[in-house]
């Protein structure tokens, strides 16, 4: 190892702060001394934002080990804790928090030593990046640059290193065939492996799933199956077996859709069983997401060439290092470490993706190397495409219109199909949405910076060739001036709206505040769009006319572009054609959006449409407004789901461990769209093989006073102490989560029980789960994102605590669906589904065990059938519950810290897929 490093190291937790100096001394210090040291001297830290939070200091700069790791090993995973870093580097983990401070210095030395190692796998591009980051004054730059030898020849820049994608002929129609049960059984046996224990439920499940791939018998009548397969059945391999077999033999593509990115990554890993050779797997399995998830190379180039300043410029350099080694350029849930962008907080990571529809397609110099385009083209020829519900629904809708529907689909996490459809087929006419449309049409205005281009700039060659097209562009730009412009929110607050749409939004704002019963609560406000004031009704008509005036030139421009594609002038080469096709697709999407807005405004002041729920909203965070507008959702979003996604398909499998949510099959049919098909849909059920009755118990605490935050915090602290950590705490309100965390984090940390929390720790949710999974003494507090899709088997999760019954929030939309769905029976269905999902986090494999604690004496007995049959349910005091949990923990085997290997996770996000679905 090289000479000892000259810097001190600071390690801060809720339990204390330790400083290690280069001479080997370690001491515990107070916040003031630690902050003073960090301000005066560069110090080695592990996750500077988290350290700053522990110190109670706003911004903290230093030598962040995670930044160094991202430079040395881009696209590699590490749990961002001292123990996780130790395992990633092959070092001995520190024994306690006091030993973590000197460990940080050893880890830094080990990483720096790798830069001079001849076997350093990620050497290419390192010297060039180090020089650039030296100029940016990256804290590690000097130490890094002096350890990397200058290469004999100039290193390839990222944009010359990336491979180009190639066009391929359209895939022919898949051959019709019927998979025999014996074939499916053999395929499943190969995937499971010879050493696996035979599972009859999995075999029957796979055979039932195979029928989805049979030839369709009638148009509009897909082979659809609703399948509930309990945890432990092995449903993933159960449907991958017939899906991969059919794809290989029929020459077709199967779209496998999930709700969370966590399951998406898990599925991707499982396909290695089907295609063990990496090159074969890369060709036949594609993870497909909306374009806003992928790195935009043109945005990155702009950032590297001066578009980003300060810390954002350093982030751009680290992202460029990652992009050179990334599998697919996926920045959200891919192989970019989830913790990397959080190190830079608001330093521009979203500006590196295409979140605003600004892509110029073939007009981009990096078009042939674009991660987004490569993914889209690879999906066309793949056997299995792993996507998410939102994107699959939007692609299915578009391809139906083109006469090329998605034919075979598997919707895993099918209990979320209703929610995904609800978001996908909704309409929102808000200030944020309208200003984005204006920017897409007009381009940058005033002092706006960046590379955003309006229609005139993107289609300048079309305008010079086609006079009618040029006139349409000019008319669209002129009509877009009626949309909100920069500063619209401030003008509305001052009562000075400009233009018809801003006046409409001002009227919406006035109505919401006039009707709101909790205007001082600090959070979002809404009211039903009924019995509206004359001022709002009067404002709707001019706004609708302004939107209609924009529809006409955009439609005319689209027609002119389609005519160009048909005529094919001499200058229309391949890249130009692709760019115009992209513009046509963008115009089509915006045309549909405008039509939905006009239809929404036409309803203002008119009779209620029973198919929809309309409301007005002012979106706020802690009292600060960030958007205002009108919203429309389908009362039953599975109706458009059935018409645009299910009926055009040939085969659809909808599956989940909790598909029915504790209800009967009629509820599953209603929430998946099956009820809207002109046919009976087969059902399959395989109960979990786990012995829940002996491995789990439900404890309902009866002596906790509702609204007592101090008592709630004490209950969480005592239960976590009794369990020795390993606790997932679930909350229905962020405010209570923060209050409980503030009360108990320090106390637990002093007992060696680290506590992490969503909305408190400056760490992305996926990384929080990684940390929780990695340390059996850690606990995690969170909200809905942790109730669904979190897979933490083993001793890392042995206690789930819910603060109360997860009743649905009383929104306008919920009130309408409640009235249509049987009143309190609708609420009960929602709660049962949420309880079933939360309990499902507890037992993930046969040898798991644990307790589920509900801190609500008022839990109705009618909801308890949400839990697996036979699980003992006890109503008892907090003291008794703590004793139960302590006894359970005492009887559990003691496992060492470190529950999983780096190969098992990839910094995945646990959030639901939020893709807007733009292709």
């Amino acid at each position: 190892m090289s000479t000892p490093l000259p810097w001190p190291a600071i390690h801060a937790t809720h339990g204390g702060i330790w400083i290690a100096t280069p001479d080997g001394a370690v001491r515990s210090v107070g916040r003031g001394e630690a902050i003073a040291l960090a301000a005066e001297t560069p110090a080695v830290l592990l996750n500077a934002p988290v350290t700053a939070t522990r110190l109670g200091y706003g911004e903290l700069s230093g030598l962040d080990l995670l930044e160094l790791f991202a430079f040395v090993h881009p696209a590699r995973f590490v749990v961002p804790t001292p123990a996780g870093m130790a395992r990633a580097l092959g070092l001995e983990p520190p024994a306690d928090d006091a030993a973590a401070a000197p460990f940080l210095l050893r880890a830094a030395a080990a990483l720096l030593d790798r830069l001079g190692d001849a076997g350093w796998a990620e050497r290419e591009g390192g010297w060039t990046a180090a020089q650039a980051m030296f100029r940016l004054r990256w804290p590690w730059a000097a130490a890094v640059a002096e350890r990397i030898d200058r290469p004999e020849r100039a290193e390839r820049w990222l944009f010359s290193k990336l491979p180009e994608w190639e066009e391929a002929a359209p895939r022919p129609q898949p051959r019709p065939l019927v998979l025999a049960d014996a074939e499916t059984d053999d395929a499943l046996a190969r995937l499971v492996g010879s050493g696996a224990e035979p599972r009859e439920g999995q075999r029957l499940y796979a055979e039932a799933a195979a029928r989805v791939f049979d030839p369709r018998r009638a148009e509009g009548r897909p082979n659809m199956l609703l399948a509930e397969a309990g945890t432990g059945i092995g449903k993933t391999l159960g449907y991958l077996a017939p899906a991969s077999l059919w794809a290989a033999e029929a020459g077709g593509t199967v779209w496998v859709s999930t709700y969370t990115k966590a399951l998406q990554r898990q599925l991707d890993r499982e396909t290695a069983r089907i295609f063990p050779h990496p090159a074969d797997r890369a060709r036949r399995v594609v993870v497909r997401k909306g374009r806003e998830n992928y790195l935009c190379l043109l945005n990155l180039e702009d950032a590297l060439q001066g578009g980003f300043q300060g810390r954002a410029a350093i982030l751009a350099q680290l992202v460029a290092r990652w992009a050179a080694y990334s599998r697919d350029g996926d920045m959200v849930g891919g192989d970019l470490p989830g913790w990397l962008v959080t190190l830079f907080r608001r330093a521009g990571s979203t500006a590196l993706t295409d979140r605003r529809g600004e892509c110029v397609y073939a007009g981009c110099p990096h078009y042939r190397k674009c991660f987004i385009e490569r993914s889209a083209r690879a999906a066309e020829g793949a056997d299995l495409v792993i996507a998410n519900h939102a994107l699959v629904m939007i692609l299915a809708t578009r391809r139906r219109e083109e006469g090329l529907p998605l034919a075979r689909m598997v919707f895993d996490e099918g209990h979320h199909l209703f929610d995904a459809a609800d978001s996908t087929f909704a309409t929102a006419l808000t200030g944020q949405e309208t200003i984005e449309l204006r920017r897409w049409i007009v381009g940058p205005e005033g002092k706006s910076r960046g590379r955003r281009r309006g229609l005139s700039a993107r289609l300048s060659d079309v305008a010079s060739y086609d006079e009618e097209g040029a006139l349409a562009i000019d008319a669209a730009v002129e009509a877009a001036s009626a949309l909100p412009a920069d500063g619209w929110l401030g003008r509305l607050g001052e009562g000075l709206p400009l233009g018809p749409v801003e006046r409409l939004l001002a009227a919406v704002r006035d109505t919401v505040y006039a009707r709101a019963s909790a205007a001082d609560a600090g959070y979002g406000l809404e009211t039903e769009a009924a019995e509206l004031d004359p001022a709002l009704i009067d404002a709707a008509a001019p706004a609708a006319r302004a939107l209609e005036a924009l529809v006409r030139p955009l439609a005319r421009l689209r027609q002119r572009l389609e005519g160009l594609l048909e005529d094919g002038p001499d200058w229309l080469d391949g890249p130009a054609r692709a760019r115009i096709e992209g513009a046509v697709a963008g115009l089509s999407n915006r045309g549909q959006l405008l039509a939905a807005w006009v239809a929404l405004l036409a309803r203002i002041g008119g009779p209620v449409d029973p198919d929809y729920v309309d409301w007005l909203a002012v979106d706020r965070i802690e009292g600060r407004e960030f958007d205002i507008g009108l919203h429309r959702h389908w009362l039953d979003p599975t109706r458009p789901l059935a018409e645009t996604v299910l009926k055009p398909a040939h085969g659809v499998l909808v599956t989940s461990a909790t598909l029915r949510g504790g209800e009967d099959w009629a509820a599953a049919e209603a929430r998946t769209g099956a009820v809207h098909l002109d046919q009976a849909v087969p059902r399959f059920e395989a109960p979990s093989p786990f012995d829940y009755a002996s491995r789990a118990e439900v404890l309902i605490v009866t002596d906790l006073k509702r609204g007592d935050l101090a008592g709630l915090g004490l209950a969480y602290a005592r239960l976590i102490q009794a369990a020795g950590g390993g606790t997932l705490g679930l909350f229905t309100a962020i405010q209570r989560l923060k209050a409980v965390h503030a009360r108990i984090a320090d106390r637990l940390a002093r007992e060696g029980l680290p506590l992490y929390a969503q909305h408190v720790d400056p760490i992305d949710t996926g990384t929080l789960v990684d940390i929780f999974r990695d340390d059996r003494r850690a606990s995690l507090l969170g909200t809905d994102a942790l109730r669904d899709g979190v897979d933490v088997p083993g001793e890392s999760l042995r206690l789930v605590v819910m603060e109360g019954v997860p009743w649905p929030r009383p929104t306008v939309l919920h009130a309408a669906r409640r009235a249509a769905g049987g009143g309190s029976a609708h609420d009960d269905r929602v709660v049962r589904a949420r309880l079933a999902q939360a309990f499902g986090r507890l037992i993930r494999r046969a040898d798991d065990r644990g307790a589920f604690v509900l801190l609500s004496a008022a839990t109705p007995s009618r909801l308890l059938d949400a839990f697996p049959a036979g699980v003992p349910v006890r109503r008892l005091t907090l003291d008794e519950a703590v004793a139960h949990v302590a006894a359970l923990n005492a009887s559990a085997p003691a496992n060492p810290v470190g529950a999983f290997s780096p190969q098992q996770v990839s910094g995945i996000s646990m959030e639901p897929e939020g893709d807007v679905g733009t292709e």
Side-chain angles (χ1 to χ4, degrees):
M1 186 172 289
S2 57
T3 306
L5 302 180
W7 313 294
I10 300 175
H11 179 63
T13 72
H14 284 292
I17 305 166
W18 292 268
I19 290 177
T21 53
D23 60 6
V26 181
R27 57 193 177 91
S28 176
V29 299
R31 283 189 171 90
E33 184 177 352
I35 291 171
L37 177 66
E40 296 173 1
T41 309
V44 177
L45 313 167
L46 183 64
N47 199 323
V50 170
T51 303
T53 300
R54 301 291 186 265
L55 295 178
Y57 193 67
E59 295 285 343
L60 187 66
S61 61
L63 297 156
D64 198 323
L65 267 179
L66 293 179
E67 292 182 29
L68 181 59
F69 187 93
F71 179 91
V72 177
H73 295 306
R76 288 203 201 181
F77 173 75
V78 61
V79 178
T81 61
M85 183 66 72
R87 285 190 295 277
L89 300 178
L91 303 176
E92 182 70 23
D96 51 33
D97 284 336
F103 166 78
L104 299 186
L105 295 179
R106 294 198 303 275
L111 280 168
L112 292 172
D113 284 346
R114 292 192 178 187
L115 301 176
D117 189 337
W120 179 31
E122 298 95 339
R123 174 178 299 278
E124 185 173 23
W127 184 86
T128 303
Q131 303 308 305
M133 296 177 80
F134 187 87
R135 293 189 292 271
L136 295 171
R137 298 184 179 180
W138 182 42
W140 287 107
V144 167
E146 70 182 16
R147 287 168 169 81
I148 304 177
D149 294 333
R150 179 168 184 162
E152 297 180 0
R153 289 181 290 182
E155 294 179 310
R156 290 184 298 167
W157 201 27
L158 167 68
F159 304 103
S160 61
K161 178 181 177 181
L162 292 174
E164 293 189 353
W165 51 262
E166 297 179 354
E167 293 283 3
R171 199 170 191 180
Q173 284 284 99
R175 296 188 304 106
L177 59 85
V178 175
L179 298 175
D181 288 349
E183 291 181 278
T184 302
D185 294 346
D186 290 344
L188 178 62
R190 287 194 298 271
L191 295 187
V192 172
S194 57
E197 179 181 348
R199 285 182 279 186
E200 182 67 8
Q202 186 182 44
R203 184 183 66 80
L204 295 174
Y205 175 89
E207 292 176 359
R211 302 285 64 82
V212 166
F213 303 100
D214 290 348
R216 186 176 62 173
R217 295 184 178 181
E219 185 179 8
R221 293 189 171 191
N223 297 316
M224 187 172 181
L225 174 68
L226 301 181
E228 182 172 87
T231 305
I233 286 294
K235 65 179 171 61
T236 301
L237 294 182
Y239 64 68
L240 284 180
S244 58
L245 181 63
W246 177 85
E249 295 189 1
T253 299
V254 180
W255 287 72
V256 182
S257 180
T258 76
Y259 188 68
T260 61
K261 295 182 177 74
L263 182 57
Q264 212 172 65
R265 299 305 296 183
Q266 178 185 328
L267 281 168
D268 188 28
R269 291 193 298 272
E270 292 284 10
T271 58
R273 297 171 180 256
I274 308 171
F275 308 111
H277 193 282
D280 188 35
R281 179 163 164 257
R283 180 176 58 85
R284 302 179 73 173
V285 179
V286 173
V287 177
R288 182 81 165 87
K289 297 184 179 181
R291 63 185 314 114
E292 67 278 5
N293 288 272
Y294 296 94
L295 173 68
C296 170
L297 294 175
L298 189 55
N299 282 354
L300 177 62
E301 184 178 38
D302 287 348
L304 295 174
Q305 293 182 347
F308 281 14
Q309 302 296 323
R311 288 280 293 163
I314 294 172
L315 172 62
Q317 291 289 339
L318 292 175
V319 169
R321 282 280 291 156
W322 161 78
Y325 296 92
S326 172
R327 171 189 170 187
D328 55 11
D330 180 3
M331 292 188 67
V332 186
D335 52 13
L336 181 74
W339 42 258
L340 180 59
V341 295
T342 63
L343 300 181
F344 296 83
R345 295 197 172 180
R346 297 172 297 276
S349 63
T350 56
L352 296 175
T353 60
D354 177 20
R355 291 182 176 270
R356 300 176 297 183
E358 61 191 5
C359 183
V360 294
Y361 295 93
C364 174
H366 310 300
Y367 181 67
R368 301 288 301 185
K369 299 180 178 182
C370 174
F371 288 117
I372 305 165
E373 297 297 329
R374 183 187 306 158
S375 172
R377 281 159 177 77
E380 296 301 320
D383 286 7
L384 301 174
V385 181
I386 302 170
N388 65 82
H389 294 349
L391 181 62
V392 168
M393 289 178 189
I394 290 178
L395 288 179
T397 302
R398 291 180 187 169
R399 302 217 182 163
R400 168 178 171 263
E401 297 169 354
E402 299 167 359
L404 298 170
L406 300 185
R408 298 305 196 294
M409 290 171 281
V410 175
F411 287 103
D412 203 340
E413 297 180 308
H415 58 284
H416 281 301
L417 210 52
F418 185 95
D419 297 327
D422 191 29
S423 299
T424 301
F425 298 109
T427 300
L429 171 53
T430 71
Q432 296 289 359
E433 293 291 327
T434 51
I435 197 172
E436 281 301 309
L437 179 60
R438 176 185 178 123
R439 290 168 178 167
W440 185 80
I441 296 169
V442 177
E445 298 178 275
K447 298 181 180 180
S448 299
R449 298 183 60 187
R451 67 168 188 83
R452 180 189 292 271
R453 300 290 182 266
L455 286 176
S456 298
R458 292 201 299 272
L459 298 174
S460 58
D461 51 353
V462 172
S464 64
Y465 174 80
D466 179 43
E467 184 178 356
E468 287 295 322
L471 291 174
I473 292 173
D474 292 342
V477 172
E478 182 179 355
S481 63
L483 299 175
D486 289 341
W488 69 274
L489 200 55
R491 289 192 294 275
L492 265 59
E494 296 169 1
L496 300 171
L498 294 177
V501 178
E502 285 192 19
R503 285 192 286 273
L504 170 70
L505 297 176
V508 168
R509 183 178 185 273
D510 291 344
T511 300
V512 171
Y513 275 103
R515 297 184 177 186
S517 59
D520 59 346
Y523 296 97
L525 306 173
E526 63 180 39
T527 185
E528 186 179 354
E531 302 298 329
L532 298 174
D533 297 334
L536 177 55
I537 296 173
D538 292 342
R545 288 195 295 271
L547 296 176
E548 288 171 341
L550 184 54
V551 170
R552 290 189 289 272
L554 292 181
R556 191 161 66 250
L557 176 59
R558 179 186 172 188
Q559 291 173 352
R560 301 302 300 181
L561 294 180
E562 289 173 340
L564 278 178
L565 293 174
E566 292 177 5
D567 294 342
D570 294 340
W571 56 268
L572 193 66
D573 57 9
R577 175 176 290 275
R579 179 166 47 83
I580 292 177
E581 288 174 346
V584 168
L587 289 166
S588 176
N589 296 338
R590 271 77 183 182
Q592 293 172 4
L593 177 64
L594 283 164
W597 287 351
V598 171
L600 176 56
L601 292 181
R603 176 259 180 271
I604 298 296
V608 173
D609 189 331
D611 289 336
Y612 298 99
V613 182
D614 299 339
W615 72 92
L616 320 175
V618 176
D619 296 324
R620 309 191 303 176
I621 296 178
E622 297 181 351
R624 182 179 61 84
E625 297 177 8
F626 66 90
D627 205 3
I628 299 168
L630 302 93
H631 298 262
R632 162 170 282 187
H633 282 232
W634 283 82
L635 181 64
D636 178 7
T638 67
R639 287 181 56 190
L641 170 69
E643 290 298 323
T644 62
V645 180
L646 303 182
K647 289 183 179 180
H650 287 237
V652 180
L653 169 63
V654 182
T655 187
S656 168
T658 56
L659 189 61
R660 293 181 297 165
E663 301 289 328
D664 57 20
W665 278 105
E669 290 179 343
R671 294 187 66 81
T672 59
V675 70
H676 299 300
L677 298 182
D678 185 22
Q679 66 190 76
V681 175
R683 310 158 179 170
F684 177 88
E685 180 181 4
S688 172
F690 296 161
D691 183 8
Y692 288 106
S694 65
R695 308 298 299 183
E697 58 183 346
V698 175
L699 310 177
I700 301 175
V701 174
T702 59
D703 60 344
L704 192 63
K705 184 178 178 181
R706 184 175 180 179
D708 180 4
L709 275 178
L712 184 65
L714 179 63
Y716 268 95
R718 292 185 63 194
L719 289 166
I720 292 172
Q721 288 171 315
T727 300
L728 178 64
L730 299 175
F731 288 77
T732 56
I734 295 173
Q735 188 176 16
R736 286 194 294 275
L737 181 155
K738 291 180 176 179
V740 168
H741 180 273
R743 282 175 163 82
I744 68 175
D746 290 0
R747 167 183 172 177
L748 292 173
R750 286 192 292 271
E751 298 184 24
L753 301 173
L755 180 67
Y756 300 90
Q758 270 186 306
H759 311 291
V760 176
D761 291 305
I763 308 174
D764 66 286
T765 305
T767 300
L768 284 173
V769 175
D770 292 337
I771 295 171
F772 175 52
R773 184 190 287 114
D774 194 47
D775 183 354
R776 75 179 302 272
R777 293 184 63 79
S779 295
L780 177 60
L781 307 181
T783 52
D784 289 356
L786 298 183
R787 189 185 63 226
D788 300 319
V790 173
D791 188 12
V792 183
E795 284 294 299
S796 289
L797 175 52
R798 49 196 181 274
L799 175 65
V800 175
V801 182
M802 293 194 78
E803 61 156 329
V805 178
W807 297 110
R809 198 162 60 92
T811 63
V812 171
L813 181 60
H814 168 258
R817 288 179 176 157
R818 186 179 191 273
S824 61
H826 173 79
D827 291 345
D828 289 353
R829 283 193 292 272
V830 173
V831 173
R832 284 192 184 96
R834 292 177 177 177
L835 289 174
Q837 278 297 304
F839 181 87
R841 304 310 99 214
L842 189 62
I843 307 296
R844 306 302 297 171
R845 62 190 189 194
D847 59 347
D848 283 352
R849 59 185 300 167
F852 184 94
V853 179
L854 196 54
L855 300 174
S856 174
T859 303
S861 297
R862 68 179 184 275
L863 301 177
L864 300 181
D865 57 0
F867 303 113
V871 172
V873 179
R874 299 182 173 89
R875 296 181 185 266
L876 67 187
T877 65
L878 177 61
D879 287 344
E880 292 169 333
V882 169
H884 265 275
V885 172
L888 185 67
N889 184 44
S891 64
N895 287 350
V897 172
F900 69 108
S901 69
Q903 288 72 33
Q904 289 178 283
V905 292
S906 304
I908 54 180
S909 170
M910 307 306 299
E911 302 286 353
E913 288 278 10
D915 294 12
V916 297
T918 51
E919 220 184 328

